[in-house]
Amino acid sequence: MRIIAGEFRGRALKTTTGPGFRPAMGRVREALFSMLEARQAVGPETRVLDLFAGGGSLGFEALSRGAAHATFVENAPYAVKVLEANAELLGLTPERCSIRREEAQKFLRKAPAVPYDLVFIDPPYKDNVLGAVLKALCAGHFLAPGAVVDAEVESHLRFEPETAHPELELQVDRTYGQTRVILWTMKSKQPSTPEPSTP
């Protein structure tokens, strides 16, 4: 698998294989990042969270396209080694890349010091945890105002993205073969109107 565009364009990444792992196919990644580019979701100040990261193809693609930092969360020891190898291959320092060996929902129990601008969620097929993960992201203050959330799930998954969470606004729901790509943006909270002062 190769990086599609940006600083590391053409560089080959190691991939994870076996049950539960499905590296994002090139055409799906290309379509996804075209959507993100149209929404100016990746830039020099973008903080990325890659949940269920596997080999990290989405997070590393975002870094290649100029994201400031990516946090990769993965619980499988083999996949963590692949992540570490890919980070080393690309020469990424801890200032731009951190890898957490942890179960995603456990990671989401503790609020981050700084919220994220772009989140990738790619849970293993048959693990219907998307709703719970979205709820934890919003409840735990993981999302900056206007943050973009991308979920990649199996095409036949019964899930209603329009009503996934009241703080998320659906942007895209498309299917590419066996993969369904769903994008939301975090709604910007309206400032409260000050009460008029009494004379």
Side-chain angles (χ1 to χ4, degrees):
M1 180 171 298
R2 296 184 180 275
I3 299 285
I4 297 170
E7 179 183 355
F8 308 123
R9 180 179 179 178
R11 300 284 291 275
L13 295 175
K14 295 180 181 295
T15 59
T16 49
T17 58
F21 295 109
R22 57 176 197 285
M25 300 302 291
R27 72 185 187 95
V28 177
R29 277 188 296 135
E30 192 163 359
L32 169 62
F33 277 90
S34 292
M35 298 177 211
L36 296 177
E37 186 176 287
R39 291 165 175 78
Q40 300 181 326
V42 183
E45 296 182 359
T46 303
R47 288 175 49 80
V48 178
L49 176 60
D50 193 347
L51 295 170
F52 309 95
S57 61
L58 298 177
F60 288 123
E61 185 74 41
L63 288 171
S64 181
R65 294 172 186 246
H69 186 274
T71 299
F72 298 87
V73 180
E74 174 57 57
N75 197 41
Y78 164 68
V80 170
K81 289 182 179 179
V82 172
L83 284 167
E84 292 170 345
N86 283 333
E88 183 177 356
L89 185 72
L90 299 176
L92 292 167
T93 63
E95 286 72 28
R96 292 200 68 197
C97 169
S98 60
I99 299 168
R100 297 284 298 272
R101 181 183 170 185
E102 195 168 3
E103 199 276 325
Q105 287 171 283
K106 182 179 179 182
F107 173 84
L108 294 173
R109 291 175 190 165
K110 183 178 179 181
V114 182
Y116 295 93
D117 307 292
L118 175 59
V119 178
F120 297 115
I121 309 169
D122 192 6
Y125 278 3
K126 299 182 181 179
D127 283 8
N128 191 5
V129 297
L130 181 54
V133 169
L134 293 173
K135 182 178 179 180
L137 283 169
C138 295
H141 307 290
F142 280 85
L143 303 176
V148 175
V149 179
D150 159 63
E152 296 189 22
V153 295
E154 56 267 46
S155 58
H156 60 271
L157 180 70
R158 297 183 64 182
F159 185 79
E160 297 298 332
E162 297 90 346
T163 56
H165 195 280
E167 293 184 55
L168 297 175
E169 183 175 353
L170 178 65
Q171 300 292 320
V172 174
D173 184 3
R174 295 180 189 168
T175 299
Y176 301 86
Q178 296 183 4
T179 301
R180 183 180 179 188
V181 175
I182 310 172
L183 288 185
W184 297 269
T185 52
M186 181 70 170
K187 297 177 182 177
S188 297
K189 294 182 178 179
Q190 297 296 322
S192 58
T193 304
E195 295 183 6
S197 58
T198 54

